[in-house]
């Protein structure tokens, strides 16, 4: 029904639009390839395809949140309407083309029915989207960005044009299967009954061209807006990390070669793909502890700034210019578009909530650590108080600079076996720095010792030979010193024939389990929160199961839960020890709110109005617990201090689950 | 099997001796000797006096060093005396038996043309750092033991007024390079000046203060001169026989005191922290020889330029890191108005008030006064912790204080584990009582001296 002239015109416009689109997209691909190699795609192709289907097509993480189902509808609507648009374009290029001429009348009817109904569903979901942004107004400002409204409006425009076109065709009597298209037939067409045929013809033309132009405009708007996530999100799911928590790669230390990332092309191509895949949904922000308490750190903004930076500098970098007038990646200022502020980088606790909630598997934390490496190692530019921490670690191999000879003071009355060369007990109990030096945490360690002894486990300690695991060093970007520790520890474990380790601290646990394999470490690692429940299950440890603790509220530590999937075991342990289930936070399990000490933040200062731990303790006090049960020395410190600051130290006790167990052992 | 006759006689180990209590000398200080003993050889009796198990004692003499009343003495048991005699005899015999040529084998020697003890006078804007004068004090003793001259060397611009001060604090000679290039400290210029002076005048000992500037300069000088350097010494003495500087400093996390000798290279260099050595009394009219030298350097040869000097303005101009006495308040002070009694105590002791993080967070004290992991690290002579629990984050900031006194209501407070003296009690009773007692002591002293 288009005139030949219109066909040719459309042909020209369409070709131009497609060429422009391809050009823009290829440019984006080339920008991504500016990044460093990342060899994660070796093998696992089927696993990746399945994952892609689960997360990108079934939208698993998207629908787990409110209004996620709306996006599910929009996503599948797009896929279905893709076929509608293919027919549309082909009809524009080849006069008279229509599906029913290819696939037959019945299938044709089915197709048109789908297109009609889905378009209606799309309008409905657009209405929901508008409603959410304008009326419900979620607290995250991302939802009301101009780009968002533009895109919604374009989609609505497309749908209106679709219905206008088909309604007019039906009214003219020129539609193939009017009864197959319910909305067009029964709602739109009746509106046009009193319109003259000539006007209807004009209307069809107008709606057709409107649809065509919006469609082609949208196509080319894609690569420049956040909507390009529809190109990148699916491959990003394919390329996701399968580690429980994405681990930052080792640094290659060479003379003359700076470490970390200070120019955008020092990121890997996967990092750059992440920048483009961001849908700017803001779920990372919503769950980030730093953002929640009002700090400058905004994970979504970090990804957005990375994207802007790559776009601003990409061409120059590809032409070999890596130094002259580039938009800096890292800056001291806090709101420069396309540059990430240092303050934001240091505010991260590496809790992983951003990554756990991201629907497209963007890896925020490794990028932050890579940029911290640049600041800490190339520039020696970090918050002043870290100098104390770094020096203490380097000289005394513990964060507080206490003489290493004092490290086994906690064990002086416990009469424990020491690991020496030769024959050794089955397990190494790795106390860690907190349990060795912090008087509160020494008690936790002794509680674990009591439980292990009661269960008849063969274990020993390193005593004074124990060194820090180096966790905070790696998270703060001081990779050089971390490597020194990792290599020394791995060598020590090998020399002593250590095959199984039990740790008191989840950070030691996570570092040994997830980071040390990069250095050739292969021993079995346990944390007491999952080892003690196992002992109970195996009957080696008997607990009374009577509650002398009152209301026990359990806090999921980031490095146990999100980082290592340990959720059920500590809860099981509490049930065995006290006979009843622990109380739960609202923000729990994978959505647990960080205590604020991870990522090296334990050693840094915080503004009194922006204390992560206060936020969490306030949430805890709302549940009116008698005991807050934790399984981590950092959490222990943060909760205890938080309770003191909120003057609640008499109302609530902070205990490690090991201490609860120790008191519940059946004698 | 028959024993010994065929086996070569095993050389007996040189005995180290043992330690015993000098009767009636113990002041029952609180078992410091017992705490110090690395082999748990000391038990305390009911009077608080040490009982030393001679079987366990290894003669390391740590207890003697820590005893505040010098109540322990070193001795050799009769069996050890016998062994010592034997060893002496064997040594003498071995020496006699050596063929003449072997005895005459030349030993490695240090360059004996190096003579004199030098002290670097550090200055900033024409003001001398106090540590330089402290070093002249100990330098005098070293110079006397070596029977050589004590000299000071000053580098700077328009610093002639420091010459008189150097003489007043005991220098017999002053070497001075006054040059515009030395106006502000730069490693290259000061290094060049020092190295030229040392190469020309050849002192056998060079001392510098372990300040930021001193540490920078000393390391550079020692490297260029290929000399040995011990940093942060807490003790300096002379081995008169061998004419060696005995440089003593804590090592291995403070667990041992190491005495280091730089035997073959000259000069022997050491740095000492401020407030470790006592400052001598200046003698007003002292005079001596002044030797002026030139700096053999032009501005164009120096790679570094001072562009800007940024001075830190503390809000109330108090630097707790430099204080010798700190009276510190924590959460236990309960409110800002209660810091008044700490102010008073600090005033009497000539100290400064500091605080833990809790007090700063509560707004009772400014951040410049915060001691701890995220605040300042302090090493005062005396640290009095009032109402501070002593969580590890606080301890980091003050654990190297020379003397720690803690006042806390809670007998299980961690601070009491590291305190030298701990008072379990209410701060609001103890501190006023202390103030009262100190005021009385001051009065009495004034009465006596009047």
């Amino acid at each position: 029904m288009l005139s030949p002239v219109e066909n040719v015109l459309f042909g020209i416009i369409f070709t131009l639009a497609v060429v422009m689109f391809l050009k823009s997209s290829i440019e984006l691909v080339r920008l991504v390839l500016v990044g460093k190699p990342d060899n994660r795609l070796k093998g696992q192709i089927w696993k990746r395809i399945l994952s892609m289907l689960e997360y990108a097509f079934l939208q698993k993480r998207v629908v787990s949140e409110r209004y996620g189902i709306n996006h599910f509808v929009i996503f599948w609507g797009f896929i279905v309407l893709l076929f509608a648009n293919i027919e549309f374009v082909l009809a524009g290029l080849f006069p008279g083309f229509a599906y029913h001429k290819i696939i037959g009348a019945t299938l044709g009817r089915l197709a048109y029915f789908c297109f009609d109904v889905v378009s209606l569903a799309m309008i409905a979901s657009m209405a929901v989207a508008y409603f959410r942004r304008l009326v419900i107004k979620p607290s995250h400002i991302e939802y009301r960005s101009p780009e968002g409204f533009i895109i919604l409006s374009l989609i609505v425009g497309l749908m209106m044009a679709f219905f206008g076109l088909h309604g007019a065709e039906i009214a003219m009597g020129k539609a193939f299967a009017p009864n197959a298209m319910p909305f067009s037939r029964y709602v739109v067409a009746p509106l046009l009954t009193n319109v003259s045929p000539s006007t209807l013809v004009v209307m069809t033309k107008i709606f057709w061209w409107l649809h065509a132009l919006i469609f082609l405009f949208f196509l080319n708007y894609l690569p420049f807006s956040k909507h390009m996530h529809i190109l990148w999100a699916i491959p990003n799911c394919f390329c996701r990390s399968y580690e429980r928590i994405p681990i930052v790669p080792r640094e290659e230390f060479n003379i003359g070669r700076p470490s970390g990332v200070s120019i955008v092309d020092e990121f890997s191509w996967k990092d750059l793909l992440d920048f483009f895949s961001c849908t700017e949904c803001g779920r990372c922000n919503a769950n980030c502890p730093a953002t929640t308490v009002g700090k400058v750190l905004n994970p979504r903004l970090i990804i957005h700034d990375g994207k802007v930076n790559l776009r601003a500098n990409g061409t120059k970098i590809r032409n070999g210019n890596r130094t002259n007038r580039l938009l800096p990646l890292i800056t001291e200022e806090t709101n420069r578009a396309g540059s990430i502020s240092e303050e934001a980088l240091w505010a991260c606790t590496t809790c992983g909530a951003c990554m756990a909630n991201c629907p497209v598997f963007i890896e925020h934390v490794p990028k932050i650590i890579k940029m911290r490496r640049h600041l800490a190692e190339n520039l020696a530019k970090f918050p002043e108080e870290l100098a104390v921490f770094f020096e203490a670690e380097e000289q005394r191999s513990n964060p507080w600079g206490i003489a290493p000879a004092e490290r086994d003071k906690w064990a002086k009355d416990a009469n424990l076996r020491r690991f020496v060369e030769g024959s050794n007990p089955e397990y190494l109990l790795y106390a860690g720095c907190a349990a060795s030096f912090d008087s509160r945490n020494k008690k936790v360690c002794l509680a674990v010792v009591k439980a292990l002894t009661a269960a008849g486990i063969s274990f020993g300690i390193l005593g004074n030979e124990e060194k820090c695991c180096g966790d905070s060093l790696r998270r703060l970007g001081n990779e050089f010193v971390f490597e020194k520790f990792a290599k020394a520890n791995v060598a020590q474990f090998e020399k002593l024939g250590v095959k199984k380790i039990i740790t008191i601290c989840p950070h030691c646990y996570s570092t040994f389990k997830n980071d040390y394999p990069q250095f050739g470490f292969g021993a079995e690692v346990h944390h007491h929160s999952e080892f003690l429940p196992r002992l109970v299950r195996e009957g080696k440890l008997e607990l009374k199961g009577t509650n002398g603790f009152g209301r026990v509220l359990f806090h999921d530590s980031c490095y146990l839960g999100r980082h290592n999937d340990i959720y059920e075991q500590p809860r099981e342990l509490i049930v065995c020890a006290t006979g009843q289930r622990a109380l739960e936070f609202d923000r729990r399990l994978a959505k647990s709110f960080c205590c604020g000490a991870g990522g090296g933040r334990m050693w840094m200062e915080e503004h009194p109005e922006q204390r992560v731990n206060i936020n969490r303790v306030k949430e805890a006090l709302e549940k009116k617990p008698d005991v807050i049960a934790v399984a981590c020395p950092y959490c222990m410190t943060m909760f205890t201090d938080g309770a003191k600051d909120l003057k609640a130290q008499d109302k609530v006790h902070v205990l490690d689950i090991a201490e609860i167990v120790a008191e519940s052992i059946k004698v | 099997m028959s024993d010994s006759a065929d086996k070569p006689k095993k050389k007996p180990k040189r005995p180290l001796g043992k330690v015993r209590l000098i009767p009636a000398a113990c002041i029952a200080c609180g078992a410091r000797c017992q705490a110090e003993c690395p082999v748990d050889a000391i038990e305390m009796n009911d009077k608080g006096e040490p009982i030393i198990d001679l079987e366990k004692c290894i003669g390391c003499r740590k207890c003697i060093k820590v005893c505040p009343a010098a109540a322990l003495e070193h001795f050799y048991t009769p069996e050890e005396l016998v062994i010592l005699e034997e060893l002496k005899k064997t040594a003498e015999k071995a020496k006699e038996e050596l063929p003449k040529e072997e005895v005459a084998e030349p030993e490695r020697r240090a360059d004996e043309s190096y003579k004199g003890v030098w002290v670097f006078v550090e200055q900033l804007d024409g003001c001398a750092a106090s540590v330089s004068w402290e070093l002249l004090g100990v330098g005098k003793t070293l110079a006397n033991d070596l029977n050589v001259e004590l000299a000071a060397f000053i580098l700077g611009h328009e610093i002639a007024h420091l010459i008189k001060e150097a003489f007043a604090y005991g220098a017999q000679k002053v070497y001075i390079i006054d040059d515009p290039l030395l106006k502000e400290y730069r490693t290259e210029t000061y290094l060049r000046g020092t190295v030229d002076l040392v190469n020309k005048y050849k002192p056998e000992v060079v001392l510098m203060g372990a300040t930021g500037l001193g540490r920078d300069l000393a390391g550079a000088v020692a490297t260029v001169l290929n000399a040995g350097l011990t940093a942060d010494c807490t003790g300096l003495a002379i081995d008169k026989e061998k004419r060696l500087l005995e440089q003593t400093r804590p090592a291995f996390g403070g667990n041992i005191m190491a005495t280091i000798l730089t035997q073959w290279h000259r000069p022997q260099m050491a740095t000492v922290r401020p407030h470790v050595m006592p400052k001598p009394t200046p003698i007003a009219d002292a005079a001596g020889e002044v030797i002026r030298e030139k700096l053999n350097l032009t501005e164009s040869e120096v790679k570094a330029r001072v562009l800007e000097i940024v001075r830190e303005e503390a809000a109330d101009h108090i630097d707790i890191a430099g204080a010798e006495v700190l009276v510190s308040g924590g959460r236990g002070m309960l409110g800002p108005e209660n810091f008044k009694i700490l102010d008073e105590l600090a005033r009497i002791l000539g100290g400064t008030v500091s605080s833990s993080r809790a007090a700063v967070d509560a707004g009772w004290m400014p951040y410049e006064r915060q001691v701890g992991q995220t605040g300042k690290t302090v090493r005062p002579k005396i640290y009095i912790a009032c109402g501070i629990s002593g969580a590890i984050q606080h301890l980091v900031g003050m654990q190297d204080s020379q003397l720690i006194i803690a006042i806390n209501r809670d007998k299980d407070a961690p601070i009491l584990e590291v305190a030298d003296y701990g008072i379990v009690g209410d701060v609001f009773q103890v501190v006023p009582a202390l103030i009262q007692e100190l005021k009385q002591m001051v009065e009495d002293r004034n009465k006596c001296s009047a």
Side-chain angles (χ1 to χ4, degrees):
Chain A
M1 92 9 275
L2 286 178
S3 67
V5 175
E6 282 176 310
N7 277 116
V8 172
L9 192 60
F10 178 71
I12 295 172
I13 295 176
F14 177 73
T15 315
L16 280 173
V18 169
V19 166
M20 263 176 65
F21 169 73
L22 284 176
K23 186 163 176 294
S24 310
S25 301
I26 289 175
E27 180 57 29
L28 291 178
V29 173
R30 284 165 122 190
L31 284 179
V32 167
L33 292 176
V34 142
K36 293 230 173 88
D38 179 318
N39 57 359
R40 59 174 65 204
L41 291 183
K42 291 214 173 96
Q44 301 183 313
I45 297 294
W46 280 116
K47 191 169 172 193
R48 291 188 174 279
I49 291 179
L50 284 173
S51 185
M52 196 174 75
L53 291 174
E54 196 183 349
Y55 288 99
F57 288 99
L58 292 179
Q59 302 264 295
K60 189 165 170 201
R61 277 192 178 177
V62 180
V63 299
S64 64
E65 294 277 332
R66 271 202 191 149
Y67 292 99
I69 196 80
N70 203 39
H71 184 271
F72 185 86
V73 170
I74 297 175
F75 175 82
W76 281 104
F78 252 74
I79 303 253
V80 171
L81 291 178
L82 188 61
F83 290 98
N85 281 312
I86 291 176
E87 190 204 36
F88 178 87
V89 164
L90 288 175
L93 295 172
F94 306 110
F97 180 88
Y99 274 156
H100 64 264
K101 294 183 184 163
I102 316 275
I103 57 176
T106 333
L107 283 176
R109 280 195 150 79
L110 186 60
Y112 300 138
F113 176 74
C114 287
F115 297 154
D116 190 275
V117 167
V118 168
S119 296
L120 182 62
M122 286 292 264
I123 293 191
S125 55
M126 291 298 114
V128 172
Y130 271 115
F131 178 72
R132 188 184 181 203
R133 281 156 178 73
L134 297 170
V135 179
I136 306 279
K137 291 205 204 155
S139 54
H140 324 297
I141 225 168
E142 293 85 28
Y143 289 104
R144 277 166 282 139
S145 70
E147 240 183 42
F149 284 115
I150 292 176
I151 291 167
L152 288 179
S153 310
L154 285 175
I155 298 177
V156 171
L158 275 176
M159 300 302 118
M160 306 264 265
F162 176 91
F163 284 123
L165 174 62
H166 289 287
E169 279 188 347
I170 291 174
M172 281 190 335
K174 292 264 176 84
F176 165 71
N179 295 325
M181 307 178 72
F183 190 73
S184 310
R185 166 85 175 83
Y186 296 109
V187 179
V188 184
L191 293 172
L192 304 171
T193 23
N194 292 327
V195 181
S196 69
S198 50
T199 326
L200 281 177
V201 172
V202 172
M203 279 177 91
T204 52
K205 296 248 190 252
I206 291 175
F207 283 126
W208 197 95
W209 277 102
L210 204 59
H211 187 110
L213 291 172
I214 295 178
F215 175 73
L216 292 176
F217 173 75
F218 199 1
L219 188 67
N220 279 293
Y221 181 61
L222 263 188
F224 295 95
S225 73
K226 65 170 174 155
H227 217 68
M228 67 166 153
H229 76 264
I230 70 177
L231 299 174
W232 303 112
I234 298 174
N236 209 31
C237 288
F238 182 82
C239 295
R240 63 171 275 206
S241 163
Y242 280 98
E243 296 163 319
R244 183 68 202 116
I245 196 86
I247 295 293
V248 66
R250 276 178 73 168
E251 188 73 63
E252 225 186 271
F253 291 110
N254 272 320
I255 297 179
R257 189 184 167 285
S259 45
V261 169
S262 60
I263 302 176
V264 75
D265 70 338
E266 287 167 333
F267 279 123
S268 70
W269 60 259
K270 174 62 170 73
D271 289 321
L272 301 181
L273 184 61
D274 278 346
F275 291 148
F276 286 154
S277 307
C278 177
T279 72
E280 307 208 359
C281 69
R283 286 190 191 174
C284 48
N285 271 7
N287 290 285
C288 173
T291 314
T292 307
V293 296
K295 289 189 184 169
V296 166
L297 172 60
N298 192 311
R300 183 194 66 88
L301 199 57
I302 291 202
I303 304 299
H304 180 81
D305 283 333
K307 177 162 67 185
V308 170
N309 192 286
L310 179 57
R311 297 197 76 133
N313 293 329
T315 330
K316 290 193 196 117
I317 289 178
R318 276 201 302 113
N319 291 334
N321 169 17
R322 291 181 83 245
T323 47
N324 191 16
R325 292 174 52 157
L326 291 182
L327 179 63
L329 181 65
I330 306 173
T331 174
E332 283 183 12
E333 304 154 56
T334 52
N335 55 5
R336 188 167 176 187
S339 298
I340 298 167
S341 82
E342 287 178 22
E343 201 184 319
L345 289 174
W346 294 116
C348 177
T349 66
T350 69
C351 75
C354 46
M355 302 188 287
N357 281 287
C358 179
V360 295
F361 292 91
I362 293 174
E363 297 163 17
H364 309 68
V365 174
K367 298 183 198 6
I368 291 175
I369 295 185
K370 285 179 191 175
M371 288 186 275
R372 280 182 174 184
R373 281 182 184 174
H374 166 71
L375 291 174
E377 293 180 315
N378 293 337
L379 303 182
K381 200 169 180 214
F382 39 75
E384 256 182 81
E385 24 331 336
L386 285 180
V388 176
F389 168 71
F390 286 146
E391 197 180 313
E393 285 275 10
E394 283 188 48
Q395 294 186 1
R396 307 274 170 84
S397 75
N398 67 75
W400 298 287
I402 300 182
E406 312 257 310
R407 204 170 177 118
D408 63 351
K409 247 175 143 174
W410 67 271
K412 68 175 187 302
D413 294 324
N415 200 17
L416 298 172
R417 277 182 73 182
R418 297 287 197 272
F419 262 71
V420 292
E421 262 185 282
S423 93
N424 277 312
E426 191 187 351
Y427 289 94
L428 168 65
L429 178 65
Y430 183 88
C433 301
S436 302
F437 297 111
D438 181 331
S439 47
R440 178 67 187 92
N441 283 293
K442 284 184 198 175
K443 298 187 188 148
V444 175
C445 195
L446 290 170
V448 174
V449 165
K450 187 172 170 194
L452 292 177
T453 316
I457 299 296
S458 150
F459 70 96
I461 61 174
L462 288 172
N464 284 341
E465 299 297 320
E466 193 184 273
K467 280 191 264 309
C468 179
C469 67
D471 162 73
S472 288
L473 290 167
R474 179 165 246 202
R475 315 300 161 212
L476 286 168
N478 196 342
E479 183 70 10
F480 191 78
V481 181
F482 172 74
E483 258 209 31
K484 225 175 63 163
F485 275 95
K487 287 181 178 166
N489 280 332
V490 171
Q492 184 189 42
F493 293 154
E494 258 187 55
K495 189 170 122 177
L496 296 172
V498 172
K499 300 268 183 311
K500 303 183 186 177
I501 303 183
I502 306 172
T503 69
I504 309 288
C505 167
H507 289 256
C508 302
Y509 169 74
S510 198
T511 307
F512 288 154
K513 186 149 183 273
N514 302 320
D515 296 88
Y516 273 33
Q518 289 176 342
F519 298 89
F521 177 77
E524 196 183 293
V525 194
H526 294 281
H527 181 256
H528 72 266
S529 68
E530 51 89 8
F531 191 74
L532 296 182
R534 207 174 79 161
L535 295 178
V536 175
R537 255 182 275 128
E538 290 172 2
K540 293 191 182 140
L541 187 62
E542 276 186 55
L543 302 178
K544 286 186 216 152
T546 53
N547 189 3
F549 297 96
R551 293 164 63 82
V552 177
L553 176 63
F554 180 69
H555 164 78
D556 285 294
S557 300
C558 305
Y559 274 65
L560 283 180
R562 271 188 292 270
H563 284 236
N564 289 292
D565 246 337
I566 296 178
Y567 296 111
E568 265 317 302
Q569 300 95 313
R571 288 173 165 79
E572 209 186 294
L573 192 59
I574 293 178
V575 171
C576 294
T578 67
Q580 49 194 87
R581 288 199 75 83
L583 296 176
E584 297 282 354
F585 277 97
D586 289 337
R587 294 181 293 189
R588 62 177 175 275
L589 300 171
K591 282 206 177 284
S592 175
F593 193 81
C594 183
C595 73
R601 285 231 47 100
M602 176 77 170
W603 321 112
M604 295 195 254
E605 193 49 274
E606 248 182 329
H607 207 272
E609 281 92 61
Q610 294 177 339
R611 299 253 165 106
V612 174
N613 67 327
I614 298 293
N615 183 299
R616 185 57 162 175
V617 175
K618 277 191 182 152
E619 188 190 352
L621 294 175
E622 279 169 24
K623 301 283 171 188
K624 301 209 191 338
D626 296 306
V627 167
I628 299 176
V630 296
C632 167
Y634 284 170
C635 297
M636 167 71 76
T637 308
M638 289 290 133
F639 275 96
T640 314
D641 276 357
K644 274 196 209 160
D645 281 344
L646 292 173
K647 307 222 191 323
Q649 69 265 41
D650 299 319
K651 279 189 262 168
V652 71
H653 285 127
V654 184
L655 291 177
D656 191 288
I657 51 174
E659 293 176 304
I660 295 178
V661 165
E663 274 189 52
S664 309
I665 298 179
K666 251 195 209 157
V667 202
Chain B
M1 295 284 116
S2 88
D3 144 282
S4 83
D6 315 314
K7 281 198 231 161
K9 211 169 179 188
K10 231 171 147 181
K11 188 172 175 190
K13 231 173 104 175
R14 189 191 177 78
L16 289 171
K18 307 276 177 190
V19 173
R20 66 184 164 209
L21 176 66
I22 300 170
C26 175
I27 59 164
C29 73
R32 275 198 233 180
C33 47
Q34 186 186 41
E36 206 53 26
C37 180
V39 293
D40 280 326
I42 304 184
E43 291 284 309
M44 307 311 284
N45 66 12
D46 296 320
K47 282 194 276 174
E49 293 169 342
I51 304 172
I52 301 170
D53 183 346
L54 292 176
E55 298 259 304
K56 286 193 187 166
C57 177
I58 58 169
C60 72
R61 304 192 223 186
K62 274 179 128 174
C63 50
I64 298 180
K65 290 188 187 136
V66 83
C67 175
L72 294 164
E73 64 177 1
H74 175 258
F75 73 104
Y76 288 107
T77 61
E79 297 85 1
E80 287 176 323
L81 286 172
V82 170
I83 300 176
L84 279 172
E85 268 306 308
E86 265 188 50
L87 282 173
K88 202 161 152 205
K89 281 201 209 120
T90 338
E92 281 172 1
K93 232 173 128 193
K95 214 168 167 188
E96 276 175 26
E97 283 173 5
L98 274 176
K100 290 265 157 61
E101 305 88 68
E102 284 187 65
V103 170
E105 194 181 84
E107 288 172 16
R108 190 169 173 198
R109 310 186 81 122
D111 186 343
E112 286 184 351
S113 63
Y114 281 77
K115 289 254 184 298
V117 173
W118 280 21
V119 170
F120 172 63
V121 176
E122 181 184 325
Q123 55 81 24
L124 179 65
D125 292 337
C127 275
S130 177
V131 66
S132 316
W133 309 141
E134 291 162 15
L135 286 175
L136 278 176
V138 67
K140 190 60 165 227
T141 320
L142 301 175
N144 288 341
D145 285 341
L146 283 169
N147 216 357
V148 294
E149 247 180 5
L150 173 67
F153 68 102
I154 317 175
L155 302 176
H157 186 48
E158 291 166 351
I159 30 89
H161 56 280
L162 294 175
I163 301 175
K164 199 151 176 272
E165 259 194 279
F167 287 132
Y169 283 102
Q172 292 160 302
K173 250 200 194 113
V174 169
Y175 296 88
I176 180 165
I177 306 182
D178 191 321
D179 190 297
L181 264 73
L182 296 167
K183 186 162 192 298
E184 286 114 8
Y185 177 76
R186 284 178 287 179
T187 316
E188 271 179 276
T189 53
Y190 276 63
L191 170 62
R192 186 54 184 273
T194 309
V195 164
D196 285 348
L197 282 176
V198 170
N199 280 335
K200 185 165 178 185
Y201 295 101
K202 298 194 175 180
E204 63 196 295
V205 170
V206 175
L207 306 175
M208 295 189 185
T211 58
L213 189 155
R215 286 170 203 272
D216 183 83
L217 185 58
V221 169
T223 307
V224 169
L225 296 176
N226 202 26
L229 166 69
T230 305
D232 288 1
C233 295
T234 51
L236 292 169
I238 295 290
D239 177 341
K240 291 191 201 169
E241 219 182 276
K242 298 195 192 142
R243 293 184 71 79
L244 286 177
L245 178 68
E246 292 179 334
Q247 306 151 46
T248 304
R249 59 156 291 151
F252 293 105
N255 283 300
I256 63 166
M257 294 302 280
T259 301
I260 299 163
L261 307 169
T262 42
Q263 296 174 288
W264 316 127
H265 296 90
R266 293 289 178 272
Q268 303 166 83
M269 294 183 63
T271 66
V272 181
R273 280 212 186 121
H275 309 306
V276 170
M277 301 290 175
K279 196 153 101 167
T281 328
I283 301 169
D285 299 319
E289 197 185 333
V290 178
I291 299 167
R292 292 190 167 78
E293 283 288 339
K294 292 218 175 328
L295 182 67
N296 301 317
L297 212 54
T298 56
E299 181 64 49
S300 54
E301 291 173 277
V302 185
K303 297 194 192 88
R305 238 182 351 125
V306 176
L307 298 176
E308 187 193 346
I309 299 178
V310 177
R311 289 189 202 282
E312 196 186 314
E313 293 293 340
D316 49 3
H317 304 284
I318 297 286
D319 178 21
I320 56 170
E324 288 200 352
V325 177
L326 283 174
V327 178
S328 206
R331 209 185 288 268
M333 295 312 292
L334 301 179
E337 59 285 353
N338 299 329
F339 273 76
K340 284 204 204 76
I341 54 173
L342 300 184
D343 280 327
E344 170 106 43
L345 181 58
R347 193 185 54 78
I348 300 181
L349 292 171
T352 313
V353 175
S354 59
S355 75
S356 70
R357 188 181 188 233
V360 172
D361 280 352
W364 304 340
M365 279 269 132
Y367 180 62
E368 294 80 43
R369 308 276 187 142
Q370 184 174 317
V371 172
Q373 179 110 41
T374 55
K376 295 213 170 77
T377 310
V378 294
R379 289 187 183 89
K381 286 215 161 89
I382 305 177
Y383 189 88
I384 306 180
C386 308
I388 294 176
S389 67
I392 202 160
Q393 295 92 307
H394 183 77
L395 293 184
V396 177
M398 39 67 68
Q399 62 188 334
D400 289 336
S401 308
Q402 287 180 40
L403 183 73
I404 301 172
I405 302 170
I407 307 168
N408 198 300
R409 243 184 346 189
D410 177 10
K411 66 171 169 41
D412 294 321
I415 191 114
L416 294 170
E417 283 176 39
V418 295
D420 295 289
Y421 295 99
I423 305 172
V424 179
D426 184 347
V427 202
F428 301 113
Q429 290 181 337
V430 175
V431 173
L434 271 176
I435 293 173
Q436 186 84 322
E437 194 64 34
L438 286 165
K439 275 191 177 150
Q440 189 65 47
M441 281 171 68
V442 171
E443 245 184 71
D444 291 345
R445 189 167 50 138
N446 288 342
K447 263 195 236 147
C448 288
S449 56

